[in-house]
Amino acid sequence: MSIEGGNRLYWYETRCRAGEITANGNQSWKMRLACEGEGEKFRSNPRVSIAANGRLVMDNGLQQ
């Protein structure tokens, strides 16, 4: 995954624009994503955090 411009996320054939990004604890954020991929449009409300090992973790990234 790559993050560009602070609010655009890209991975595989999917691209998302993040909005309403809010802090959710230490090194954790909630956001609303509007995404497109493989000919489909969808929305998601994941929590993104930085794990102790420095990895980026996305929880609850399911379509909504």
Side-chain angles (χ1 to χ4, degrees):
M1 176 173 39
S2 66
I3 301 171
E4 298 177 15
N7 71 340
R8 292 182 303 245
L9 294 84
Y10 300 92
W11 65 94
Y12 301 111
E13 295 180 13
T14 302
R15 59 189 180 273
C16 299
R17 183 173 297 269
E20 296 185 40
I21 302 169
T22 57
N24 184 246
N26 188 27
Q27 296 190 6
S28 178
W29 303 266
K30 285 190 174 182
M31 63 181 69
R32 292 183 185 263
L33 297 179
C35 304
E36 294 183 35
E38 298 182 15
E40 300 290 325
K41 291 184 179 184
F42 61 95
R43 296 191 179 275
S44 181
N45 298 311
R47 181 169 80 74
V48 176
S49 59
I50 300 172
N53 62 5
R55 290 184 180 229
L56 185 66
V57 178
M58 185 179 292
D59 297 311
N60 194 27
L62 301 175
Q63 292 183 4
Q64 303 211 352

